[in-house]
């Protein structure tokens, strides 16, 4: 019988600053939607429930892959999927990078989450059409806790 050895909590805590219920506004201040981000499965997974202002829904599953000793993400919204892995983890800042799959095309995609003052979180999503030589902003928003 194989016994699972608990991981140091720091390995599982990298997304803790993003957990919660959020009102989301783009950097111009326009309301973009709401988000609920919750830890599940004893901390080995985080689920994101997105609802945009037009009613569109998206779901994200972040999970800790013990065999790779890193976090991975799958994002799904009607029409496309993104698969990413953690490439940067600093206190209050993480980046997931991988590929987006849209209408038969695939291209590099990355998301950076940054803890901001007053409990807010910044999210910058970027994509590349030249195989990660340059990056274009897809979504740039501030998450404010719903109280």
């Amino acid at each position: 019988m194989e016994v699972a050895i608990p991981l140091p909590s720091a390995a599982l805590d990298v997304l803790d600053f993003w957990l919660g219920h959020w009102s989301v506004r783009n950097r111009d201040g326009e309301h973009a939607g709401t988000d609920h981000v919750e830890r599940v499965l004893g901390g080995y997974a985080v689920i994101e429930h997105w609802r945009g202002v037009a009613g569109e829904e998206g779901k994200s599953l972040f999970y800790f892959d013990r065999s790779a000793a890193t976090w991975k993400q799958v994002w799904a919204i009607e029409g496309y999927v993104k698969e990413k892995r953690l490439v940067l983890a600093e206190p209050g800042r993480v980046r997931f990078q991988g590929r987006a799959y849209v209408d038969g095309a695939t291209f590099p995609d990355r998301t950076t989450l940054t803890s901001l003052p007053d409990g807010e979180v910044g999210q910058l999503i970027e994509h590349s059409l030249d195989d990660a030589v340059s990056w274009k902003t897809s979504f740039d928003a501030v998450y404010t806790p719903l109280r």
Side-chain angles (χ1 to χ4, degrees):
M1 179 171 101
E2 193 172 310
V3 176
I5 299 170
L7 294 173
S9 66
L12 298 179
D13 295 347
V14 298
L15 291 167
D16 279 5
F17 68 90
W18 192 37
L19 300 175
H21 294 269
W22 305 95
S23 174
V24 183
R25 297 191 174 281
N26 66 30
R27 294 290 177 154
D28 294 331
E30 182 180 331
H31 185 63
T34 58
D35 211 12
H36 175 209
V37 183
E38 62 182 324
R39 180 189 291 218
V40 296
L41 302 175
Y44 284 86
V46 169
I47 297 177
E48 175 189 13
H49 309 271
W50 166 258
R51 181 176 294 275
V53 292
E56 70 278 14
E57 291 186 56
K59 302 290 183 192
S60 196
L61 172 64
F62 294 83
Y63 62 96
F64 190 82
D65 180 343
R66 287 183 73 107
S67 64
T70 192
W71 281 90
K72 295 182 180 178
Q73 176 198 16
V74 176
W75 162 259
I77 195 166
E78 189 174 325
Y80 63 91
V81 171
K82 297 179 180 184
E83 296 176 340
K84 304 176 190 179
R85 69 183 301 126
L86 183 68
V87 296
L88 171 74
E90 302 172 343
R93 184 169 178 244
V94 295
R95 176 175 290 149
F96 286 81
Q97 189 166 319
R99 303 210 53 93
Y101 302 90
V102 181
D103 297 326
T106 181
F107 49 87
D109 187 89
R110 68 185 183 190
T111 299
T112 305
L113 296 164
T114 306
S115 179
L116 302 174
D118 299 324
E120 294 183 322
V121 173
Q123 182 184 53
L124 176 63
I125 302 175
E126 301 167 290
H127 66 277
S128 176
L129 300 177
D130 57 12
D131 206 26
V133 173
S134 62
W135 294 92
K136 297 178 187 266
T137 299
S138 306
F139 187 68
D140 190 3
V142 174
Y143 287 57
T144 302
L146 289 171
R147 304 199 194 284

